[in-house]
Amino acid sequence: EDQVTQSPEALRLQEGESSSLNCSYTVSGLRGLFWYRQDPGKGPEFLFTLYSAGEEKEKERLKATLTKKESFLHITAPKPEDSATYLCAVGGNNRLAFGKGNQVVVIP
Amino acid sequence: DGGITQSPKYLFRKEGQNVTLSCEQNLNHDAMYWYRQDPGQGLRLIYYSQIVNDFQKGDIAEGYSVSREKKESFPLTVTSAQKNPTAFYLCASSIMDRVEQPQHFGDGTRLSIL
């Protein structure tokens, strides 16, 4: 069974304090790893797809990286508007498996 | 703007009642999905459809039913057989039902019991 573990569950950051979120996975034959942002009461918003180890994607203050066992979402110099829950999902030989999310709060 | 529209945003169900959640997409996507989100849990797949007039059970299909009569629409019915329906329901779509393709989500329907 594919498994996705995200850590830390919750993170409080000062504005400008860079940090990283971790998504560890166990999957048979990784075919895609996805990061989403979810605001309270809203649906997940697609951020990135990563397909192979060593791949990196960037969008504004966010950078996603991938190894054979985990992915990191780096948040550089975060702003209060980066406060959200970040979801990781992996697709292998089975259907997409989601982690429980990293809840990020950025304090002004 | 292309996207996925879910309605209503909030829904209340009485005992013994069936309720239907609407999901419409104008992205021209073939595949559509229904997930359930509970606090502290990852999204769980209820039903999915790869193409019009076809759908498959996901991990937690008991107490739910769906139809896919049009490409754009994938309504979910929560039946009275679902004993714990209180949750946030998310509809998603993708170009085709392949795990390499990202899924795009609507803004959800929150279902509560009266």
Side-chain angles (χ1 to χ4, degrees):
Chain A
E1 183 181 324
D2 299 343
Q3 290 195 336
V4 182
T5 303
Q6 293 187 244
S7 61
E9 289 184 16
L11 187 63
R12 288 171 65 88
L13 299 171
Q14 288 293 134
E15 184 172 0
E17 177 189 1
S18 301
S19 189
S20 297
L21 312 177
N22 178 264
C23 171
S24 297
Y25 62 88
T26 303
V27 64
S28 53
L30 180 72
R31 290 159 62 183
L33 184 142
F34 306 89
W35 280 100
Y36 291 86
R37 170 194 169 121
Q38 186 174 23
D39 294 308
K42 299 283 191 180
E45 174 191 350
F46 171 69
L47 293 173
F48 304 111
T49 309
L50 301 167
Y51 292 110
S52 57
E55 191 174 357
E56 299 182 351
K57 294 274 180 73
E58 280 189 74
K59 180 179 179 180
E60 297 180 356
R61 294 174 295 281
L62 300 176
K63 180 179 177 179
T65 62
L66 181 65
T67 73
K68 289 186 178 179
K69 295 183 179 180
E70 57 192 350
S71 175
F72 291 95
L73 185 64
H74 307 279
I75 310 177
T76 302
K79 298 183 177 182
E81 51 263 42
D82 295 321
S83 297
T85 296
Y86 293 87
L87 303 180
C88 174
V90 295
N93 292 330
N94 300 311
R95 305 216 60 84
L96 206 60
F98 284 82
K100 296 179 181 179
N102 306 100
Q103 185 181 34
V104 175
V105 174
V106 182
I107 304 161
Chain B
D1 273 345
I4 301 173
T5 302
Q6 291 187 241
S7 64
K9 189 169 178 63
Y10 300 97
L11 188 57
F12 297 92
R13 196 191 86 168
K14 295 180 182 178
E15 288 287 338
Q17 186 181 41
N18 293 351
V19 292
T20 298
L21 285 60
S22 171
C23 177
E24 303 278 331
Q25 56 101 356
N26 61 3
L27 298 167
N28 201 32
H29 286 175
D30 281 329
M32 296 188 74
Y33 311 84
W34 275 105
Y35 290 92
R36 171 179 172 140
Q37 187 174 38
D38 294 283
Q41 294 197 37
L43 273 66
R44 292 183 291 169
L45 182 64
I46 305 172
Y47 266 98
Y48 64 100
S49 169
Q50 297 173 317
I51 200 165
V52 176
N53 293 322
D54 181 64
F55 50 84
Q56 307 293 333
K57 292 183 178 179
D59 299 320
I60 55 166
E62 185 175 348
Y64 300 97
S65 65
V66 294
S67 63
R68 185 88 186 275
E69 296 176 2
K70 297 187 300 182
K71 186 175 185 177
E72 302 81 18
S73 179
F74 191 40
L76 173 74
T77 296
V78 184
T79 74
S80 57
Q82 173 48 245
K83 298 306 178 188
N84 183 24
T86 298
F88 191 49
Y89 290 87
L90 289 162
C91 178
S93 71
S94 63
I95 292 173
M96 61 181 71
D97 183 38
R98 295 187 60 175
V99 289
E100 299 91 339
Q101 294 290 339
Q103 295 181 13
H104 299 272
F105 288 83
D107 272 343
T109 292
R110 186 165 299 281
L111 176 61
S112 303
I113 299 297
L114 278 180

